[in-house]
Amino acid sequence: MTYEEARAKMSAIGQEHVFKYYDELSAEGKAALIKQVEETDFSVLGKIDKGAGSDRGKFSPLAAMQLPEIEARKQELHDAGVKAIKEGKTAALLLAGGMGTRLGSDNPKGMYDIGLTKPVYIFERIISNLLDVVKETDTWIRLFIMTSEKNHEATVKFLREKNFFGYKEDRIVFFKQDMAPACDFNGKLYMEGKDRISTSPNGNAGWYSSMVRAGLDKILTDEGIEWIDIFAVDNVLQRICDPCFVGATVLANVSVGAKVVRKAAPDEAVGVICLEDGRPSIVEYYELSEEMMNAKDANGEPAYNYGVILNYLFRTSELAGVTDDRMPLHVVKKKIPYIDENGAPVKPTSPNGFKFEQLVLDMIHQLSTCLPYEVIREHEFAPIKNPTGIDSVESARELLKKNGVEL
Ligand code: UTP
C-alpha cells in the first residue's frame, strides 16, 4: 500500500489524524504506520453503537453431565479419553493473549508469581496440571500457546528461561493473536506512538482465525488432531485434557465439551450454559429472567444451574464453520494508553475508550451440539483476575492450598 492509498483509506473513515506526525517519522516509522493501516480491520469502529448480543433468541435448558453420572461411568470415560490422547487426537491451547489489566502487572499474566515461601508462577501451575496427564498417558500432548504482540517476546523469553517448566519444547507452538484498533468514546482512534495506532488483542475468540492465519491449522490436519482443549491462563486449578472430560466429550459425539460448575446461587454472576433457539449458547447472568432463575428440571433442580469456566474441548473438524462475522462483537470500555496532542505518552487510570473483542463463549452458539460437563468448583476453578477480593491472587492461593499445592 502506498502512502496516498493509506491516507485515502483513513480519510474515508474520518481518521486522517493518524498521519499527524507522519512527516517527522523515519523511513522505518513511515513504513510501519502504512503497514498497520493496510493490515488493520477498521470496520469494528462502525459497530460501536450496535453492541453485542442485543437480539437474543429463545432460551431453553441444556442438561449437563453431572457428577453422579461421571462417577458411575468413570472407568468407561477415562478409558475413552486415554485412548484418544494416546492416539494423538487431542491438543491443548492456552489463551495467553489477554492484557490482564485488572491484575495490574506489566508482565504477561502467566509470569505472575503467586508463591508465598517460594516462587510459583501461574504458567508453572498450568503446565504442571497438563504434565499430570502427560505422565498418566505417557503421551506428550501438543500444546499451542496464543500470545499477542504486546506480550509475545516476554512470554517466550520467560518460558524458555524456565525451561518450559518441564514441558517438551518441541511439543509447544507459539502464535500471536490478531489485534483490533482501539478508540476514544467518540470513535476516534488513539495513537500509542507517533507511528502506531493503539491496538489491543481482538478477544479470546481470536484464537481460531489467528491460528489459521499463522498456518497452524495444518498441524491439526497433519497430526490428526480431532479435539482441542481451549483454556484460560488464569485458572490455576484447572485440569486440561483430563481423560474423563475428553472421554465424555468423545463418547457423547458432540461438537464441543464445556466444563461447567454448579452455580453457588441462582443470581451468581457467571455465564450459564443453555440452548438458544435450539443451539448451545451461554446466557449472561444479567440476561437471566426471573422465570429462568426459578425454572426447575425434571429432578426439581434449577434448570439453568451450570456456569462455564472457559475450558472447552472443540471438535476440530467443525471449527471451519465458525466464522467471525456471525459472532457478536463486544465493545468494551478499557484503559487505553495513548499519546496526547503534544505527542507525550499517557497511561490512563480509568477507562478512556473502547476496545473490540470476540469471545470464545460466543463460538459455542455457532456449533450444533455441546456437552456441559460438571466439575467440582473447589477442585477445578481458581481464576485470578484481581490482586485481592473475588477471583484474586488471594482467593486462588486459598484454593490451591486446599488442594494440597505448596506455595
Ligand atoms: P479475560 O477476559 O480475563 O481478559 O481473559 P484479560 O485481558 O486477561 O484480563 P483483563 O480483563 O484485562 O483484566 C480470559 C482469558 O482469555 C485470554 C486471557 O489471556 C485469559 O486467558 N484472552 C483474553 C486472550 O487470549 N486474548 C484476548 O484478546 C483476551
Side-chain angles (χ1 to χ4, degrees):
M1 184 174 262
T2 63
Y3 169 60
E4 286 69 30
E5 286 166 341
R7 244 198 126 92
K9 177 171 178 184
M10 298 318 282
S11 79
I13 54 168
Q15 305 279 359
E16 238 177 327
H17 67 278
V18 302
F19 293 107
K20 180 174 172 191
Y21 299 101
Y22 187 80
D23 291 338
E24 39 176 294
L25 297 178
S26 64
E28 245 179 14
K30 286 179 176 161
L33 182 57
I34 292 174
K35 188 163 184 276
Q36 192 187 18
V37 167
E38 180 176 7
E39 289 176 354
T40 305
D41 174 8
F42 296 104
S43 63
V44 289
L45 298 170
K47 298 180 184 157
I48 291 177
D49 298 332
K50 296 205 180 71
S54 36
D55 313 313
R56 301 298 301 252
K58 192 178 173 332
F59 294 117
S60 55
L62 172 61
M65 183 184 274
Q66 298 177 20
L67 295 172
E69 180 180 354
I70 295 170
E71 189 52 40
R73 295 177 59 194
K74 201 169 172 182
Q75 195 62 47
E76 177 202 2
L77 303 180
H78 181 268
D79 292 350
V82 168
K83 181 169 180 290
I85 295 166
K86 275 185 173 294
E87 288 171 355
K89 290 183 179 165
T90 314
L93 191 151
L94 166 57
L95 298 170
M99 303 282 278
T101 45
R102 282 169 286 175
L103 191 56
S105 160
D106 284 337
N107 283 328
K109 212 184 224 184
M111 285 174 65
Y112 201 90
D113 177 7
I114 52 170
L116 291 169
T117 61
K118 57 177 186 175
V120 177
Y121 301 98
I122 291 181
F123 278 139
E124 181 178 5
R125 285 294 335 136
I126 297 278
I127 291 178
S128 159
N129 289 351
L130 184 57
L131 276 172
D132 287 346
V133 181
V134 169
K135 283 180 203 138
E136 187 191 344
T137 58
D138 198 16
T139 306
W140 284 97
I141 293 168
R142 174 64 83 188
L143 171 61
F144 295 94
I145 301 181
M146 181 171 84
T147 60
S148 85
E149 63 178 40
K150 306 267 183 202
N151 67 15
H152 184 80
E153 272 74 36
T155 302
V156 175
K157 182 166 174 278
F158 176 76
L159 285 172
R160 195 157 275 149
E161 268 166 23
K162 299 292 178 197
N163 216 1
F164 301 97
F165 293 110
Y167 216 80
K168 218 175 179 193
E169 185 175 354
D170 67 6
R171 299 299 291 160
I172 299 180
V173 186
F174 290 93
F175 67 99
K176 290 187 214 174
Q177 80 174 100
D178 298 332
M179 306 294 282
C183 63
D184 70 12
F185 291 130
N186 298 314
K188 185 177 171 193
L189 288 170
Y190 277 119
M191 297 297 287
E192 63 189 24
K194 292 183 174 178
D195 61 356
R196 195 158 172 83
I197 299 162
S198 297
T199 56
S200 64
N202 64 350
N204 53 27
W207 70 268
Y208 183 62
S209 53
S210 305
M211 195 176 182
V212 170
R213 207 185 308 278
L216 299 176
D217 48 330
K218 193 169 163 0
I219 297 187
L220 301 181
T221 326
D222 289 355
E223 295 185 3
I225 294 169
E226 292 179 11
W227 300 95
I228 186 160
D229 191 343
I230 308 299
F231 63 100
V233 70
D234 45 36
N235 176 6
V236 285
L237 267 185
Q238 72 192 308
R239 312 307 305 171
I240 305 138
C241 290
D242 43 318
C244 283
F245 177 46
V246 173
T249 307
V250 171
L251 293 176
N253 198 22
V254 285
S255 319
V256 61
K259 286 206 179 182
V260 294
V261 292
R262 192 177 282 255
K263 281 202 303 188
D267 58 352
E268 191 190 348
V270 293
V272 169
I273 197 128
C274 62
L275 293 174
E276 180 184 352
D277 293 335
R279 296 173 79 86
S281 191
I282 285 132
V283 54
E284 290 295 347
Y285 65 97
Y286 49 82
E287 296 172 312
L288 274 181
S289 63
E290 200 63 31
E291 191 191 330
M292 286 168 77
M293 252 186 251
N294 297 325
K296 299 274 187 288
D297 68 13
N299 302 322
E301 299 256 348
Y304 297 90
N305 206 21
Y306 290 94
V308 286
I309 59 168
L310 221 181
N311 190 321
Y312 301 103
L313 188 67
F314 286 94
R315 185 195 284 275
T316 56
S317 61
E318 296 196 21
L319 290 167
V322 178
T323 51
D324 291 358
D325 42 343
R326 284 217 313 264
M327 288 205 292
L329 184 72
H330 296 257
V331 182
V332 200
K333 287 186 182 164
K334 284 272 170 170
K335 296 179 223 166
I336 301 157
Y338 65 102
I339 53 168
D340 64 17
E341 49 289 355
N342 306 313
V346 181
K347 228 178 159 184
T349 50
S350 56
N352 60 329
F354 296 125
K355 69 178 202 177
F356 303 89
E357 293 188 331
Q358 287 189 317
L359 303 180
V360 167
L361 58 85
D362 291 318
M363 293 176 77
I364 305 304
H365 191 50
Q366 303 292 313
L367 299 165
S368 45
T369 48
C370 172
L371 174 75
Y373 176 92
E374 184 182 2
V375 299
I376 302 173
R377 176 189 289 251
E378 294 71 27
H379 291 176
E380 290 207 29
F381 192 45
I384 297 180
K385 302 285 183 193
N386 308 296
T388 55
I390 294 172
D391 294 346
S392 68
V393 178
E394 280 174 353
S395 58
R397 277 187 185 136
E398 287 313 307
L399 284 161
L400 283 167
K401 281 193 246 168
K402 281 190 188 148
N403 282 278
V405 178
E406 271 180 48
L407 291 172

